[in-house]
Amino acid sequence: MNLPAPPFDAAIIALLPRLRRFARAVTRNREDADDLVQVTLERAWLHRGQWVAGSRLDSWLFRILKNAWIDEVRGRVRRQRLFAPEEEGEQVGDASSEAQLQRLAVQKAVSLLNEDQRLAVALVLVDGLPYKDAAEVLEIPIGTLMSRLARGRAALQVLLADDARTK
């Protein structure tokens, strides 16, 4: 078994913020996201020999993360565990600034999207992954990804417009 070169470790460390951001979009919960990133890193290190040098490490890690989340959800269903209620969620700091309020509104709107749209939006619009790579991560055709993005964008516009009207 040949060990990866040191740049593998450095590249993974550089991708941690993106992994956390994607995990937060997938799980909608900070603690679950942190656990999911840890599981992803453990699996990546354990299977590091499967990564092909020169290929996109970010796509490979996002796919591991997505599959780890699927495993977790299946396990929760089997154990008949419930997700933490929303009122037990994180308290985000002072929401006094306009930018903070806007960020919270967008975050809330994204969390209201269905899972397919939320994952597509998180990978492409939030993380900036190219369509082709995001489609590979989600293991769907690129046309399906584009359709989910279009529906997600439309839903976000409606949700954000409704939010603005209620203020």
Side-chain angles (χ1 to χ4, degrees), residues 85-132:
E86 188 173 325
E87 55 270 8
E88 291 180 15
E90 68 184 41
Q91 294 297 321
V92 180
D94 181 23
S96 59
S97 74
E98 182 63 31
Q100 180 76 350
L101 289 172
Q102 199 170 25
R103 187 182 67 77
L104 290 173
V106 170
Q107 186 177 3
K108 179 182 177 188
V110 169
S111 75
L112 295 173
L113 295 175
N114 71 44
E115 185 172 358
D116 291 339
Q117 293 171 2
R118 191 176 71 252
L119 295 180
V121 165
L123 286 172
V124 175
L125 300 180
V126 177
D127 204 57
L129 220 57
Y131 285 9
K132 179 180 179 252

mmCIF file of all heavy atoms in Angstrom, residues 85-132:
data_model
loop_
_atom_site.group_PDB
_atom_site.id
_atom_site.type_symbol
_atom_site.label_atom_id
_atom_site.label_comp_id
_atom_site.label_asym_id
_atom_site.label_seq_id
_atom_site.Cartn_x
_atom_site.Cartn_y
_atom_site.Cartn_z
ATOM 1 N N PRO A 85 -35.500 18.929 17.462
ATOM 2 C CA PRO A 85 -36.486 19.942 17.062
ATOM 3 C C PRO A 85 -35.803 21.267 16.729
ATOM 4 O O PRO A 85 -34.742 21.590 17.262
ATOM 5 C CB PRO A 85 -37.372 20.103 18.298
ATOM 6 C CG PRO A 85 -37.022 18.990 19.210
ATOM 7 C CD PRO A 85 -35.695 18.455 18.807
ATOM 8 N N GLU A 86 -36.443 22.024 15.860
ATOM 9 C CA GLU A 86 -35.862 23.287 15.405
ATOM 10 C C GLU A 86 -35.585 24.236 16.562
ATOM 11 O O GLU A 86 -34.597 24.948 16.576
ATOM 12 C CB GLU A 86 -36.793 23.949 14.393
ATOM 13 C CG GLU A 86 -36.188 25.160 13.734
ATOM 14 C CD GLU A 86 -37.053 25.704 12.615
ATOM 15 O OE1 GLU A 86 -37.693 24.915 11.919
ATOM 16 O OE2 GLU A 86 -37.071 26.930 12.464
ATOM 17 N N GLU A 87 -36.463 24.236 17.596
ATOM 18 C CA GLU A 87 -36.273 25.171 18.698
ATOM 19 C C GLU A 87 -35.034 24.855 19.526
ATOM 20 O O GLU A 87 -34.569 25.682 20.299
ATOM 21 C CB GLU A 87 -37.516 25.238 19.596
ATOM 22 C CG GLU A 87 -37.964 23.902 20.140
ATOM 23 C CD GLU A 87 -38.968 23.203 19.227
ATOM 24 O OE1 GLU A 87 -39.211 23.677 18.109
ATOM 25 O OE2 GLU A 87 -39.508 22.180 19.635
ATOM 26 N N GLU A 88 -34.439 23.691 19.345
ATOM 27 C CA GLU A 88 -33.195 23.367 20.029
ATOM 28 C C GLU A 88 -31.983 23.708 19.170
ATOM 29 O O GLU A 88 -30.865 23.383 19.534
ATOM 30 C CB GLU A 88 -33.158 21.879 20.386
ATOM 31 C CG GLU A 88 -34.149 21.491 21.452
ATOM 32 C CD GLU A 88 -34.077 20.009 21.782
ATOM 33 O OE1 GLU A 88 -33.083 19.355 21.404
ATOM 34 O OE2 GLU A 88 -35.009 19.522 22.418
ATOM 35 N N GLY A 89 -32.236 24.339 18.035
ATOM 36 C CA GLY A 89 -31.152 24.669 17.106
ATOM 37 C C GLY A 89 -30.211 25.717 17.657
ATOM 38 O O GLY A 89 -30.396 26.263 18.745
ATOM 39 N N GLU A 90 -29.227 26.007 16.872
ATOM 40 C CA GLU A 90 -28.202 26.960 17.296
ATOM 41 C C GLU A 90 -28.753 28.372 17.391
ATOM 42 O O GLU A 90 -29.676 28.730 16.684
ATOM 43 C CB GLU A 90 -27.021 26.925 16.339
ATOM 44 C CG GLU A 90 -27.369 27.466 14.978
ATOM 45 C CD GLU A 90 -26.226 27.336 14.000
ATOM 46 O OE1 GLU A 90 -25.569 26.299 14.002
ATOM 47 O OE2 GLU A 90 -26.018 28.276 13.235
ATOM 48 N N GLN A 91 -28.181 29.128 18.256
ATOM 49 C CA GLN A 91 -28.500 30.543 18.356
ATOM 50 C C GLN A 91 -27.424 31.300 17.601
ATOM 51 O O GLN A 91 -26.259 31.232 17.933
ATOM 52 C CB GLN A 91 -28.513 30.992 19.823
ATOM 53 C CG GLN A 91 -29.607 30.363 20.641
ATOM 54 C CD GLN A 91 -30.988 30.756 20.148
ATOM 55 O OE1 GLN A 91 -31.207 31.897 19.760
ATOM 56 N NE2 GLN A 91 -31.896 29.827 20.162
ATOM 57 N N VAL A 92 -27.825 31.987 16.570
ATOM 58 C CA VAL A 92 -26.871 32.746 15.781
ATOM 59 C C VAL A 92 -26.719 34.097 16.456
ATOM 60 O O VAL A 92 -27.689 34.670 16.939
ATOM 61 C CB VAL A 92 -27.368 32.889 14.328
ATOM 62 C CG1 VAL A 92 -26.380 33.673 13.496
ATOM 63 C CG2 VAL A 92 -27.607 31.522 13.736
ATOM 64 N N GLY A 93 -25.504 34.607 16.493
ATOM 65 C CA GLY A 93 -25.183 35.849 17.205
ATOM 66 C C GLY A 93 -26.139 37.000 16.975
ATOM 67 O O GLY A 93 -27.256 36.823 16.520
ATOM 68 N N ASP A 94 -25.717 38.171 17.258
ATOM 69 C CA ASP A 94 -26.524 39.378 17.144
ATOM 70 C C ASP A 94 -26.945 39.608 15.701
ATOM 71 O O ASP A 94 -26.126 39.702 14.810
ATOM 72 C CB ASP A 94 -25.710 40.568 17.655
ATOM 73 C CG ASP A 94 -26.480 41.860 17.596
ATOM 74 O OD1 ASP A 94 -27.726 41.824 17.579
ATOM 75 O OD2 ASP A 94 -25.835 42.912 17.583
ATOM 76 N N ALA A 95 -28.231 39.692 15.479
ATOM 77 C CA ALA A 95 -28.760 39.856 14.125
ATOM 78 C C ALA A 95 -29.131 41.314 13.853
ATOM 79 O O ALA A 95 -30.110 41.587 13.193
ATOM 80 C CB ALA A 95 -29.967 38.945 13.942
ATOM 81 N N SER A 96 -28.348 42.233 14.396
ATOM 82 C CA SER A 96 -28.719 43.641 14.277
ATOM 83 C C SER A 96 -28.371 44.247 12.921
ATOM 84 O O SER A 96 -29.044 45.154 12.471
ATOM 85 C CB SER A 96 -28.065 44.454 15.398
ATOM 86 O OG SER A 96 -26.663 44.320 15.323
ATOM 87 N N SER A 97 -27.339 43.776 12.265
ATOM 88 C CA SER A 97 -26.951 44.400 11.003
ATOM 89 C C SER A 97 -27.814 43.882 9.860
ATOM 90 O O SER A 97 -28.307 42.756 9.877
ATOM 91 C CB SER A 97 -25.478 44.139 10.698
ATOM 92 O OG SER A 97 -25.297 42.809 10.299
ATOM 93 N N GLU A 98 -27.965 44.720 8.856
ATOM 94 C CA GLU A 98 -28.776 44.358 7.682
ATOM 95 C C GLU A 98 -28.193 43.144 6.972
ATOM 96 O O GLU A 98 -28.919 42.245 6.549
ATOM 97 C CB GLU A 98 -28.874 45.551 6.725
ATOM 98 C CG GLU A 98 -29.742 45.285 5.517
ATOM 99 C CD GLU A 98 -31.201 45.004 5.862
ATOM 100 O OE1 GLU A 98 -31.702 45.542 6.856
ATOM 101 O OE2 GLU A 98 -31.830 44.223 5.130
ATOM 102 N N ALA A 99 -26.862 43.096 6.846
ATOM 103 C CA ALA A 99 -26.208 41.962 6.179
ATOM 104 C C ALA A 99 -26.469 40.667 6.941
ATOM 105 O O ALA A 99 -26.716 39.621 6.337
ATOM 106 C CB ALA A 99 -24.709 42.215 6.045
ATOM 107 N N GLN A 100 -26.420 40.739 8.252
ATOM 108 C CA GLN A 100 -26.673 39.553 9.081
ATOM 109 C C GLN A 100 -28.122 39.098 8.915
ATOM 110 O O GLN A 100 -28.393 37.909 8.779
ATOM 111 C CB GLN A 100 -26.358 39.868 10.544
ATOM 112 C CG GLN A 100 -26.593 38.711 11.492
ATOM 113 C CD GLN A 100 -25.521 37.649 11.421
ATOM 114 O OE1 GLN A 100 -24.666 37.654 10.551
ATOM 115 N NE2 GLN A 100 -25.574 36.711 12.328
ATOM 116 N N LEU A 101 -29.047 40.031 8.905
ATOM 117 C CA LEU A 101 -30.458 39.691 8.721
ATOM 118 C C LEU A 101 -30.686 39.053 7.352
ATOM 119 O O LEU A 101 -31.432 38.078 7.221
ATOM 120 C CB LEU A 101 -31.341 40.931 8.877
ATOM 121 C CG LEU A 101 -31.466 41.486 10.290
ATOM 122 C CD1 LEU A 101 -32.208 42.816 10.271
ATOM 123 C CD2 LEU A 101 -32.168 40.489 11.198
ATOM 124 N N GLN A 102 -30.037 39.605 6.344
ATOM 125 C CA GLN A 102 -30.172 39.067 4.996
ATOM 126 C C GLN A 102 -29.586 37.654 4.915
ATOM 127 O O GLN A 102 -30.177 36.759 4.331
ATOM 128 C CB GLN A 102 -29.467 39.994 4.012
ATOM 129 C CG GLN A 102 -29.883 39.818 2.592
ATOM 130 C CD GLN A 102 -29.313 40.936 1.728
ATOM 131 O OE1 GLN A 102 -28.298 41.544 2.058
ATOM 132 N NE2 GLN A 102 -29.968 41.205 0.617
ATOM 133 N N ARG A 103 -28.417 37.459 5.535
ATOM 134 C CA ARG A 103 -27.789 36.143 5.544
ATOM 135 C C ARG A 103 -28.690 35.121 6.237
ATOM 136 O O ARG A 103 -28.858 33.997 5.765
ATOM 137 C CB ARG A 103 -26.420 36.202 6.237
ATOM 138 C CG ARG A 103 -25.638 34.900 6.131
ATOM 139 C CD ARG A 103 -24.318 34.962 6.860
ATOM 140 N NE ARG A 103 -24.448 35.060 8.295
ATOM 141 C CZ ARG A 103 -24.759 34.047 9.098
ATOM 142 N NH1 ARG A 103 -24.992 32.856 8.600
ATOM 143 N NH2 ARG A 103 -24.862 34.215 10.398
ATOM 144 N N LEU A 104 -29.288 35.515 7.346
ATOM 145 C CA LEU A 104 -30.184 34.612 8.073
ATOM 146 C C LEU A 104 -31.424 34.274 7.242
ATOM 147 O O LEU A 104 -31.897 33.131 7.261
ATOM 148 C CB LEU A 104 -30.596 35.221 9.410
ATOM 149 C CG LEU A 104 -29.495 35.317 10.454
ATOM 150 C CD1 LEU A 104 -29.983 36.095 11.676
ATOM 151 C CD2 LEU A 104 -29.005 33.942 10.853
ATOM 152 N N ALA A 105 -31.944 35.257 6.514
ATOM 153 C CA ALA A 105 -33.109 35.017 5.666
ATOM 154 C C ALA A 105 -32.774 34.031 4.553
ATOM 155 O O ALA A 105 -33.556 33.110 4.268
ATOM 156 C CB ALA A 105 -33.618 36.325 5.074
ATOM 157 N N VAL A 106 -31.605 34.192 3.943
ATOM 158 C CA VAL A 106 -31.189 33.271 2.881
ATOM 159 C C VAL A 106 -30.966 31.874 3.456
ATOM 160 O O VAL A 106 -31.402 30.877 2.885
ATOM 161 C CB VAL A 106 -29.915 33.796 2.171
ATOM 162 C CG1 VAL A 106 -29.335 32.747 1.237
ATOM 163 C CG2 VAL A 106 -30.230 35.077 1.413
ATOM 164 N N GLN A 107 -30.290 31.811 4.602
ATOM 165 C CA GLN A 107 -30.035 30.517 5.240
ATOM 166 C C GLN A 107 -31.347 29.804 5.564
ATOM 167 O O GLN A 107 -31.493 28.602 5.329
ATOM 168 C CB GLN A 107 -29.214 30.733 6.513
ATOM 169 C CG GLN A 107 -28.767 29.463 7.190
ATOM 170 C CD GLN A 107 -27.892 29.763 8.410
ATOM 171 O OE1 GLN A 107 -27.662 30.909 8.781
ATOM 172 N NE2 GLN A 107 -27.422 28.718 9.034
ATOM 173 N N LYS A 108 -32.320 30.545 6.081
ATOM 174 C CA LYS A 108 -33.621 29.960 6.411
ATOM 175 C C LYS A 108 -34.322 29.487 5.139
ATOM 176 O O LYS A 108 -34.882 28.394 5.099
ATOM 177 C CB LYS A 108 -34.488 30.964 7.152
ATOM 178 C CG LYS A 108 -35.857 30.416 7.502
ATOM 179 C CD LYS A 108 -36.710 31.452 8.204
ATOM 180 C CE LYS A 108 -38.094 30.910 8.466
ATOM 181 N NZ LYS A 108 -38.991 31.939 8.978
ATOM 182 N N ALA A 109 -34.289 30.310 4.096
ATOM 183 C CA ALA A 109 -34.942 29.945 2.833
ATOM 184 C C ALA A 109 -34.313 28.689 2.238
ATOM 185 O O ALA A 109 -35.025 27.793 1.775
ATOM 186 C CB ALA A 109 -34.869 31.106 1.844
ATOM 187 N N VAL A 110 -32.990 28.597 2.268
ATOM 188 C CA VAL A 110 -32.319 27.406 1.736
ATOM 189 C C VAL A 110 -32.725 26.171 2.542
ATOM 190 O O VAL A 110 -32.968 25.103 1.983
ATOM 191 C CB VAL A 110 -30.778 27.592 1.730
ATOM 192 C CG1 VAL A 110 -30.065 26.282 1.439
ATOM 193 C CG2 VAL A 110 -30.375 28.645 0.710
ATOM 194 N N SER A 111 -32.839 26.322 3.847
ATOM 195 C CA SER A 111 -33.205 25.170 4.681
ATOM 196 C C SER A 111 -34.627 24.684 4.408
ATOM 197 O O SER A 111 -34.962 23.541 4.707
ATOM 198 C CB SER A 111 -33.037 25.502 6.159
ATOM 199 O OG SER A 111 -34.071 26.348 6.616
ATOM 200 N N LEU A 112 -35.470 25.556 3.825
ATOM 201 C CA LEU A 112 -36.853 25.173 3.527
ATOM 202 C C LEU A 112 -36.992 24.451 2.186
ATOM 203 O O LEU A 112 -38.055 23.897 1.895
ATOM 204 C CB LEU A 112 -37.762 26.401 3.551
ATOM 205 C CG LEU A 112 -37.914 27.078 4.922
ATOM 206 C CD1 LEU A 112 -38.703 28.374 4.794
ATOM 207 C CD2 LEU A 112 -38.554 26.135 5.931
ATOM 208 N N LEU A 113 -35.940 24.463 1.384
ATOM 209 C CA LEU A 113 -35.989 23.755 0.099
ATOM 210 C C LEU A 113 -36.050 22.252 0.343
ATOM 211 O O LEU A 113 -35.561 21.762 1.370
ATOM 212 C CB LEU A 113 -34.740 24.074 -0.735
ATOM 213 C CG LEU A 113 -34.559 25.511 -1.194
ATOM 214 C CD1 LEU A 113 -33.210 25.660 -1.897
ATOM 215 C CD2 LEU A 113 -35.684 25.944 -2.109
ATOM 216 N N ASN A 114 -36.592 21.512 -0.625
ATOM 217 C CA ASN A 114 -36.550 20.062 -0.470
ATOM 218 C C ASN A 114 -35.096 19.611 -0.603
ATOM 219 O O ASN A 114 -34.242 20.347 -1.093
ATOM 220 C CB ASN A 114 -37.489 19.349 -1.458
ATOM 221 C CG ASN A 114 -37.017 19.410 -2.889
ATOM 222 O OD1 ASN A 114 -35.840 19.215 -3.198
ATOM 223 N ND2 ASN A 114 -37.946 19.677 -3.787
ATOM 224 N N GLU A 115 -34.808 18.401 -0.158
ATOM 225 C CA GLU A 115 -33.418 17.954 -0.070
ATOM 226 C C GLU A 115 -32.691 17.981 -1.410
ATOM 227 O O GLU A 115 -31.539 18.416 -1.487
ATOM 228 C CB GLU A 115 -33.343 16.549 0.528
ATOM 229 C CG GLU A 115 -31.915 16.092 0.738
ATOM 230 C CD GLU A 115 -31.792 14.790 1.498
ATOM 231 O OE1 GLU A 115 -32.810 14.229 1.920
ATOM 232 O OE2 GLU A 115 -30.652 14.341 1.652
ATOM 233 N N ASP A 116 -33.338 17.544 -2.481
ATOM 234 C CA ASP A 116 -32.688 17.533 -3.788
ATOM 235 C C ASP A 116 -32.263 18.937 -4.201
ATOM 236 O O ASP A 116 -31.143 19.157 -4.665
ATOM 237 C CB ASP A 116 -33.618 16.939 -4.853
ATOM 238 C CG ASP A 116 -33.852 15.451 -4.676
ATOM 239 O OD1 ASP A 116 -33.016 14.794 -4.015
ATOM 240 O OD2 ASP A 116 -34.854 14.947 -5.198
ATOM 241 N N GLN A 117 -33.167 19.896 -4.053
ATOM 242 C CA GLN A 117 -32.860 21.276 -4.426
ATOM 243 C C GLN A 117 -31.802 21.862 -3.491
ATOM 244 O O GLN A 117 -30.894 22.562 -3.933
ATOM 245 C CB GLN A 117 -34.124 22.128 -4.395
ATOM 246 C CG GLN A 117 -35.125 21.752 -5.467
ATOM 247 C CD GLN A 117 -36.456 22.466 -5.287
ATOM 248 O OE1 GLN A 117 -36.630 23.275 -4.387
ATOM 249 N NE2 GLN A 117 -37.414 22.155 -6.154
ATOM 250 N N ARG A 118 -31.922 21.588 -2.186
ATOM 251 C CA ARG A 118 -30.983 22.131 -1.210
ATOM 252 C C ARG A 118 -29.555 21.669 -1.494
ATOM 253 O O ARG A 118 -28.608 22.453 -1.445
ATOM 254 C CB ARG A 118 -31.413 21.731 0.207
ATOM 255 C CG ARG A 118 -30.667 22.453 1.300
ATOM 256 C CD ARG A 118 -31.185 22.120 2.695
ATOM 257 N NE ARG A 118 -30.837 20.764 3.057
ATOM 258 C CZ ARG A 118 -31.683 19.744 3.134
ATOM 259 N NH1 ARG A 118 -32.959 19.922 2.882
ATOM 260 N NH2 ARG A 118 -31.279 18.545 3.475
ATOM 261 N N LEU A 119 -29.378 20.385 -1.822
ATOM 262 C CA LEU A 119 -28.040 19.868 -2.100
ATOM 263 C C LEU A 119 -27.476 20.478 -3.376
ATOM 264 O O LEU A 119 -26.298 20.849 -3.427
ATOM 265 C CB LEU A 119 -28.068 18.346 -2.199
ATOM 266 C CG LEU A 119 -28.432 17.596 -0.921
ATOM 267 C CD1 LEU A 119 -28.428 16.099 -1.162
ATOM 268 C CD2 LEU A 119 -27.516 17.971 0.220
ATOM 269 N N ALA A 120 -28.312 20.611 -4.405
ATOM 270 C CA ALA A 120 -27.854 21.214 -5.661
ATOM 271 C C ALA A 120 -27.457 22.669 -5.437
ATOM 272 O O ALA A 120 -26.402 23.110 -5.899
ATOM 273 C CB ALA A 120 -28.946 21.113 -6.728
ATOM 274 N N VAL A 121 -28.274 23.419 -4.724
ATOM 275 C CA VAL A 121 -27.978 24.820 -4.429
ATOM 276 C C VAL A 121 -26.699 24.929 -3.602
ATOM 277 O O VAL A 121 -25.839 25.772 -3.869
ATOM 278 C CB VAL A 121 -29.170 25.488 -3.704
ATOM 279 C CG1 VAL A 121 -28.773 26.804 -3.062
ATOM 280 C CG2 VAL A 121 -30.328 25.693 -4.676
ATOM 281 N N ALA A 122 -26.546 24.060 -2.620
ATOM 282 C CA ALA A 122 -25.364 24.115 -1.755
ATOM 283 C C ALA A 122 -24.085 23.859 -2.540
ATOM 284 O O ALA A 122 -23.081 24.553 -2.349
ATOM 285 C CB ALA A 122 -25.495 23.106 -0.617
ATOM 286 N N LEU A 123 -24.113 22.890 -3.420
ATOM 287 C CA LEU A 123 -22.901 22.557 -4.174
ATOM 288 C C LEU A 123 -22.565 23.598 -5.241
ATOM 289 O O LEU A 123 -21.412 23.982 -5.389
ATOM 290 C CB LEU A 123 -23.042 21.184 -4.831
ATOM 291 C CG LEU A 123 -22.930 19.981 -3.905
ATOM 292 C CD1 LEU A 123 -23.277 18.703 -4.647
ATOM 293 C CD2 LEU A 123 -21.541 19.895 -3.304
ATOM 294 N N VAL A 124 -23.570 24.055 -5.977
ATOM 295 C CA VAL A 124 -23.303 24.939 -7.111
ATOM 296 C C VAL A 124 -23.308 26.410 -6.707
ATOM 297 O O VAL A 124 -22.351 27.136 -6.984
ATOM 298 C CB VAL A 124 -24.309 24.687 -8.252
ATOM 299 C CG1 VAL A 124 -24.115 25.675 -9.387
ATOM 300 C CG2 VAL A 124 -24.175 23.264 -8.765
ATOM 301 N N LEU A 125 -24.368 26.858 -6.057
ATOM 302 C CA LEU A 125 -24.490 28.283 -5.766
ATOM 303 C C LEU A 125 -23.682 28.710 -4.548
ATOM 304 O O LEU A 125 -23.113 29.793 -4.527
ATOM 305 C CB LEU A 125 -25.958 28.654 -5.565
ATOM 306 C CG LEU A 125 -26.880 28.379 -6.752
ATOM 307 C CD1 LEU A 125 -28.303 28.803 -6.429
ATOM 308 C CD2 LEU A 125 -26.376 29.073 -7.995
ATOM 309 N N VAL A 126 -23.630 27.877 -3.532
ATOM 310 C CA VAL A 126 -22.909 28.245 -2.319
ATOM 311 C C VAL A 126 -21.430 27.901 -2.440
ATOM 312 O O VAL A 126 -20.564 28.722 -2.179
ATOM 313 C CB VAL A 126 -23.532 27.574 -1.073
ATOM 314 C CG1 VAL A 126 -22.727 27.893 0.172
ATOM 315 C CG2 VAL A 126 -24.975 28.013 -0.899
ATOM 316 N N ASP A 127 -21.150 26.669 -2.848
ATOM 317 C CA ASP A 127 -19.752 26.227 -2.875
ATOM 318 C C ASP A 127 -19.055 26.485 -4.204
ATOM 319 O O ASP A 127 -17.837 26.409 -4.280
ATOM 320 C CB ASP A 127 -19.666 24.748 -2.513
ATOM 321 C CG ASP A 127 -18.302 24.414 -1.967
ATOM 322 O OD1 ASP A 127 -17.905 25.043 -0.974
ATOM 323 O OD2 ASP A 127 -17.627 23.554 -2.553
ATOM 324 N N GLY A 128 -19.803 26.768 -5.252
ATOM 325 C CA GLY A 128 -19.192 27.121 -6.522
ATOM 326 C C GLY A 128 -18.667 25.948 -7.337
ATOM 327 O O GLY A 128 -17.848 26.127 -8.229
ATOM 328 N N LEU A 129 -19.144 24.757 -7.057
ATOM 329 C CA LEU A 129 -18.712 23.587 -7.826
ATOM 330 C C LEU A 129 -19.281 23.676 -9.241
ATOM 331 O O LEU A 129 -20.431 24.092 -9.425
ATOM 332 C CB LEU A 129 -19.245 22.322 -7.143
ATOM 333 C CG LEU A 129 -18.346 21.106 -7.058
ATOM 334 C CD1 LEU A 129 -17.032 21.424 -6.363
ATOM 335 C CD2 LEU A 129 -19.034 19.975 -6.341
ATOM 336 N N PRO A 130 -18.501 23.331 -10.243
ATOM 337 C CA PRO A 130 -19.040 23.293 -11.608
ATOM 338 C C PRO A 130 -20.190 22.285 -11.707
ATOM 339 O O PRO A 130 -20.234 21.305 -10.964
ATOM 340 C CB PRO A 130 -17.843 22.833 -12.454
ATOM 341 C CG PRO A 130 -16.641 23.112 -11.627
ATOM 342 C CD PRO A 130 -17.084 22.995 -10.201
ATOM 343 N N TYR A 131 -21.105 22.529 -12.643
ATOM 344 C CA TYR A 131 -22.266 21.647 -12.791
ATOM 345 C C TYR A 131 -21.857 20.190 -12.938
ATOM 346 O O TYR A 131 -22.444 19.308 -12.323
ATOM 347 C CB TYR A 131 -23.094 22.059 -14.010
ATOM 348 C CG TYR A 131 -23.926 23.306 -13.848
ATOM 349 C CD1 TYR A 131 -23.804 24.144 -12.752
ATOM 350 C CD2 TYR A 131 -24.851 23.656 -14.816
ATOM 351 C CE1 TYR A 131 -24.567 25.280 -12.614
ATOM 352 C CE2 TYR A 131 -25.630 24.801 -14.692
ATOM 353 C CZ TYR A 131 -25.480 25.602 -13.588
ATOM 354 O OH TYR A 131 -26.247 26.728 -13.446
ATOM 355 N N LYS A 132 -20.869 19.953 -13.783
ATOM 356 C CA LYS A 132 -20.435 18.576 -14.042
ATOM 357 C C LYS A 132 -19.994 17.896 -12.751
ATOM 358 O O LYS A 132 -20.393 16.755 -12.469
ATOM 359 C CB LYS A 132 -19.295 18.575 -15.058
ATOM 360 C CG LYS A 132 -18.746 17.202 -15.378
ATOM 361 C CD LYS A 132 -17.611 17.296 -16.399
ATOM 362 C CE LYS A 132 -17.060 15.927 -16.694
ATOM 363 N NZ LYS A 132 -15.751 15.727 -16.121
#
